[in-house]
Short mmCIF file of all heavy atoms in Angstrom, two decimals:
data_model
loop_
_atom_site.label_atom_id
_atom_site.label_comp_id
_atom_site.label_asym_id
_atom_site.label_seq_id
_atom_site.Cartn_x
_atom_site.Cartn_y
_atom_site.Cartn_z
N ALA M 27 0.84 -1.20 0.00
CA ALA M 27 0.00 0.00 0.00
C ALA M 27 0.87 1.25 0.00
O ALA M 27 0.57 2.23 -0.70
CB ALA M 27 -0.92 -0.01 1.22
N TYR M 28 1.96 1.21 0.76
CA TYR M 28 2.90 2.34 0.80
C TYR M 28 3.52 2.56 -0.58
O TYR M 28 3.58 3.70 -1.07
CB TYR M 28 4.00 2.07 1.83
CG TYR M 28 5.29 2.83 1.57
CD1 TYR M 28 5.35 4.21 1.77
CD2 TYR M 28 6.43 2.17 1.11
CE1 TYR M 28 6.52 4.92 1.51
CE2 TYR M 28 7.59 2.85 0.85
CZ TYR M 28 7.64 4.23 1.04
OH TYR M 28 8.80 4.92 0.78
N MET M 29 3.96 1.49 -1.23
CA MET M 29 4.60 1.61 -2.55
C MET M 29 3.62 2.20 -3.57
O MET M 29 4.01 2.94 -4.47
CB MET M 29 5.07 0.23 -3.02
CG MET M 29 6.18 -0.38 -2.16
SD MET M 29 7.71 0.61 -2.16
CE MET M 29 8.26 0.34 -3.84
N LYS M 30 2.36 1.85 -3.41
CA LYS M 30 1.35 2.34 -4.34
C LYS M 30 1.04 3.83 -4.13
O LYS M 30 0.79 4.57 -5.09
CB LYS M 30 0.08 1.51 -4.17
CG LYS M 30 -1.04 1.86 -5.14
CD LYS M 30 -2.26 0.97 -4.89
CE LYS M 30 -3.40 1.36 -5.81
NZ LYS M 30 -4.62 0.53 -5.57
N GLU M 31 1.10 4.29 -2.87
CA GLU M 31 0.67 5.65 -2.54
C GLU M 31 1.80 6.64 -2.32
O GLU M 31 1.56 7.85 -2.25
CB GLU M 31 -0.22 5.62 -1.29
CG GLU M 31 -1.52 4.86 -1.46
CD GLU M 31 -2.44 5.52 -2.47
OE1 GLU M 31 -2.40 6.76 -2.60
OE2 GLU M 31 -3.19 4.79 -3.15
N ARG M 32 3.03 6.18 -2.21
CA ARG M 32 4.10 7.09 -1.78
C ARG M 32 4.31 8.26 -2.72
O ARG M 32 4.69 9.36 -2.28
CB ARG M 32 5.41 6.32 -1.62
CG ARG M 32 6.00 5.74 -2.90
CD ARG M 32 7.34 5.11 -2.66
NE ARG M 32 7.90 4.55 -3.89
CZ ARG M 32 9.10 4.00 -3.96
NH1 ARG M 32 9.87 3.93 -2.88
NH2 ARG M 32 9.54 3.51 -5.10
N LYS M 33 4.08 8.06 -4.01
CA LYS M 33 4.31 9.15 -4.96
C LYS M 33 3.35 10.32 -4.73
O LYS M 33 3.57 11.44 -5.22
CB LYS M 33 4.17 8.64 -6.40
CG LYS M 33 2.81 8.10 -6.77
CD LYS M 33 2.80 7.60 -8.21
CE LYS M 33 1.45 7.01 -8.60
NZ LYS M 33 1.12 5.81 -7.84
N ASN M 34 2.27 10.07 -3.99
CA ASN M 34 1.29 11.12 -3.74
C ASN M 34 1.46 11.77 -2.36
O ASN M 34 0.70 12.67 -2.01
CB ASN M 34 -0.13 10.54 -3.82
CG ASN M 34 -0.42 9.91 -5.17
OD1 ASN M 34 -0.06 10.49 -6.20
ND2 ASN M 34 -1.05 8.75 -5.17
N ILE M 35 2.46 11.29 -1.57
CA ILE M 35 2.60 11.76 -0.19
C ILE M 35 3.84 12.63 -0.05
O ILE M 35 4.93 12.28 -0.51
CB ILE M 35 2.69 10.57 0.79
CG1 ILE M 35 1.41 9.72 0.69
CG2 ILE M 35 2.90 11.05 2.22
CD1 ILE M 35 1.46 8.45 1.51
N GLN M 36 3.65 13.77 0.57
CA GLN M 36 4.78 14.66 0.82
C GLN M 36 4.82 15.04 2.31
O GLN M 36 3.81 15.46 2.88
CB GLN M 36 4.66 15.93 -0.02
CG GLN M 36 5.86 16.86 0.12
CD GLN M 36 5.80 18.02 -0.86
OE1 GLN M 36 4.78 18.24 -1.50
NE2 GLN M 36 6.89 18.76 -0.96
N LEU M 37 5.99 14.84 2.94
CA LEU M 37 6.18 15.22 4.34
C LEU M 37 7.09 16.45 4.41
O LEU M 37 7.93 16.67 3.52
CB LEU M 37 6.84 14.07 5.11
CG LEU M 37 6.04 12.78 5.28
CD1 LEU M 37 6.83 11.82 6.15
CD2 LEU M 37 4.68 13.04 5.89
N PRO M 38 6.93 17.24 5.45
CA PRO M 38 7.83 18.39 5.62
C PRO M 38 9.29 17.92 5.64
O PRO M 38 9.66 16.98 6.34
CB PRO M 38 7.42 18.97 6.98
CG PRO M 38 6.00 18.51 7.17
CD PRO M 38 5.91 17.18 6.53
N GLY M 39 10.12 18.56 4.81
CA GLY M 39 11.54 18.22 4.76
C GLY M 39 11.87 17.13 3.75
O GLY M 39 13.04 16.78 3.57
N PHE M 40 10.85 16.55 3.11
CA PHE M 40 11.07 15.51 2.11
C PHE M 40 10.45 15.94 0.78
O PHE M 40 9.39 16.58 0.75
CB PHE M 40 10.42 14.18 2.54
CG PHE M 40 11.09 13.53 3.71
CD1 PHE M 40 10.72 13.88 5.01
CD2 PHE M 40 12.08 12.57 3.52
CE1 PHE M 40 11.32 13.27 6.10
CE2 PHE M 40 12.68 11.96 4.61
CZ PHE M 40 12.31 12.31 5.90
N ARG M 41 11.14 15.58 -0.31
CA ARG M 41 10.53 15.78 -1.62
C ARG M 41 9.37 14.80 -1.78
O ARG M 41 9.39 13.72 -1.20
CB ARG M 41 11.55 15.57 -2.74
CG ARG M 41 12.49 16.79 -2.91
CD ARG M 41 13.40 16.61 -4.09
NE ARG M 41 14.33 15.49 -3.88
CZ ARG M 41 14.67 14.63 -4.81
NH1 ARG M 41 14.16 14.72 -6.03
NH2 ARG M 41 15.53 13.65 -4.56
N LYS M 42 8.39 15.17 -2.60
CA LYS M 42 7.21 14.35 -2.80
C LYS M 42 7.62 12.96 -3.30
O LYS M 42 8.38 12.83 -4.26
CB LYS M 42 6.27 14.99 -3.82
CG LYS M 42 4.87 14.41 -3.81
CD LYS M 42 3.94 15.24 -4.69
CE LYS M 42 2.51 14.74 -4.59
NZ LYS M 42 1.58 15.54 -5.40
N GLY M 43 7.12 11.92 -2.62
CA GLY M 43 7.41 10.55 -3.04
C GLY M 43 8.69 9.98 -2.45
O GLY M 43 9.04 8.83 -2.74
N LYS M 44 9.43 10.75 -1.65
CA LYS M 44 10.73 10.29 -1.14
C LYS M 44 10.69 9.86 0.33
O LYS M 44 11.66 9.28 0.82
CB LYS M 44 11.78 11.39 -1.32
CG LYS M 44 12.08 11.73 -2.77
CD LYS M 44 12.62 10.51 -3.53
CE LYS M 44 12.94 10.86 -4.98
NZ LYS M 44 13.45 9.67 -5.70
N ALA M 45 9.60 10.12 1.03
CA ALA M 45 9.52 9.75 2.45
C ALA M 45 9.40 8.24 2.59
O ALA M 45 8.72 7.58 1.81
CB ALA M 45 8.32 10.43 3.11
N THR M 46 10.05 7.66 3.58
CA THR M 46 10.01 6.22 3.80
C THR M 46 8.69 5.82 4.44
O THR M 46 7.96 6.66 4.98
CB THR M 46 11.16 5.77 4.72
OG1 THR M 46 10.94 6.35 6.02
CG2 THR M 46 12.51 6.20 4.18
N GLU M 47 8.41 4.52 4.41
CA GLU M 47 7.19 4.01 5.01
C GLU M 47 7.16 4.33 6.51
O GLU M 47 6.12 4.77 7.03
CB GLU M 47 7.11 2.48 4.79
CG GLU M 47 5.85 1.84 5.36
CD GLU M 47 5.81 0.34 5.14
OE1 GLU M 47 6.69 -0.20 4.41
OE2 GLU M 47 4.91 -0.32 5.70
N GLY M 48 8.32 4.13 7.17
CA GLY M 48 8.38 4.39 8.60
C GLY M 48 8.13 5.84 8.94
O GLY M 48 7.44 6.15 9.92
N MET M 49 8.70 6.76 8.15
CA MET M 49 8.52 8.20 8.41
C MET M 49 7.06 8.61 8.24
O MET M 49 6.52 9.39 9.03
CB MET M 49 9.41 9.01 7.46
CG MET M 49 10.89 8.89 7.74
SD MET M 49 11.34 9.45 9.40
CE MET M 49 10.87 11.17 9.34
N ILE M 50 6.42 8.06 7.22
CA ILE M 50 5.01 8.39 6.98
C ILE M 50 4.14 7.88 8.12
O ILE M 50 3.24 8.57 8.61
CB ILE M 50 4.55 7.81 5.63
CG1 ILE M 50 5.31 8.47 4.47
CG2 ILE M 50 3.04 8.00 5.44
CD1 ILE M 50 5.09 7.82 3.13
N GLU M 51 4.44 6.66 8.59
CA GLU M 51 3.67 6.08 9.69
C GLU M 51 3.91 6.88 10.98
O GLU M 51 2.97 7.06 11.78
CB GLU M 51 4.06 4.62 9.90
CG GLU M 51 3.55 3.70 8.80
CD GLU M 51 4.01 2.27 8.98
OE1 GLU M 51 4.99 2.03 9.71
OE2 GLU M 51 3.38 1.37 8.38
N LYS M 52 5.12 7.36 11.15
CA LYS M 52 5.42 8.15 12.35
C LYS M 52 4.68 9.48 12.33
O LYS M 52 4.20 9.96 13.36
CB LYS M 52 6.94 8.40 12.43
CG LYS M 52 7.38 9.05 13.73
CD LYS M 52 8.89 9.15 13.79
CE LYS M 52 9.35 9.79 15.10
NZ LYS M 52 10.81 9.90 15.18
N PHE M 53 4.56 10.04 11.13
CA PHE M 53 3.93 11.36 10.98
C PHE M 53 2.40 11.24 11.08
O PHE M 53 1.74 12.04 11.76
CB PHE M 53 4.33 11.97 9.65
CG PHE M 53 3.91 13.41 9.49
CD1 PHE M 53 4.69 14.44 10.00
CD2 PHE M 53 2.72 13.74 8.84
CE1 PHE M 53 4.31 15.76 9.86
CE2 PHE M 53 2.34 15.06 8.70
CZ PHE M 53 3.13 16.07 9.20
N TYR M 54 1.82 10.25 10.38
CA TYR M 54 0.35 10.12 10.31
C TYR M 54 -0.23 9.08 11.26
O TYR M 54 -1.44 9.00 11.44
CB TYR M 54 -0.07 9.76 8.88
CG TYR M 54 0.07 10.89 7.89
CD1 TYR M 54 1.08 10.89 6.94
CD2 TYR M 54 -0.82 11.97 7.90
CE1 TYR M 54 1.22 11.92 6.02
CE2 TYR M 54 -0.69 13.01 6.99
CZ TYR M 54 0.33 12.97 6.06
OH TYR M 54 0.45 14.00 5.15
#
């Protein structure tokens, strides 16, 4: 699911699509 959606997710300090699965889970 992460691989499918990562290109649409942007976190502060990361370019769009570059945040890791762990970072996204930590943030959201």
Side-chain angles (χ1 to χ4, degrees):
Y28 156 72
M29 295 297 290
K30 183 180 177 181
E31 296 295 328
R32 66 175 180 176
K33 62 181 178 295
N34 302 317
I35 300 174
Q36 184 173 11
L37 295 184
F40 291 86
R41 282 185 295 140
K42 196 171 185 179
K44 295 299 181 180
T46 66
E47 181 181 352
M49 291 300 298
I50 295 171
E51 288 177 340
K52 188 175 181 180
F53 189 84
Y54 288 107

